[in-house]
Amino acid sequence: MHTALSTIAAVGPYGHGGGFPFPVFPLFFLLVFLAAVVAFGVLRRGSWRARSDARAVLADRFARGDIDAEEYRSRLSELGRK
C-alpha cells in the first residue's frame, strides 16, 4: 500500500494517461493571432493599393496637363484624408 501511494504521488494525477497536451493552448492562440494579423494585413493592403493607384492616376493626369497644380494639390490632399 505504501508503494502504491508513493507511486501515485510521484507521477501526479495525469501520470496514468498522459493528460491533455497543454502546449496545444499556446499554439492554438498563436495560430489565431497569426490568422488575424494576416487577415487584417490583406484587408489593409487592399485599401492602401486603391489609394496608391488613385495617386498614380492623379499624378499622370497632372503630368499630361489635364489638371493644373492647384487642382492637383487639392485632390492629393483630399486623397490623404481618406
Side-chain angles (χ1 to χ4, degrees):
M1 178 82 172
H2 179 49
T3 58
L5 289 177
S6 62
T7 304
I8 291 173
V11 295
Y14 299 110
H16 301 292
F20 187 76
F22 285 103
V24 170
F25 283 118
L27 290 175
F28 174 74
F29 288 115
L30 179 65
L31 288 175
V32 168
F33 177 74
L34 287 176
V37 167
V38 167
F40 180 75
V42 166
L43 293 174
R44 187 85 172 131
R45 183 177 48 131
S47 65
W48 175 80
R49 183 175 290 154
R51 273 186 268 146
S52 178
D53 291 344
R55 287 184 178 134
V57 169
L58 188 61
D60 188 46
R61 288 185 63 199
F62 178 64
R64 284 185 305 197
D66 292 346
I67 58 176
D68 62 350
E70 183 179 331
E71 187 175 357
Y72 173 75
R73 276 184 245 130
S74 161
R75 291 183 182 209
L76 191 62
S77 69
E78 185 66 31
L79 284 174
R81 283 188 239 167
K82 293 182 180 180

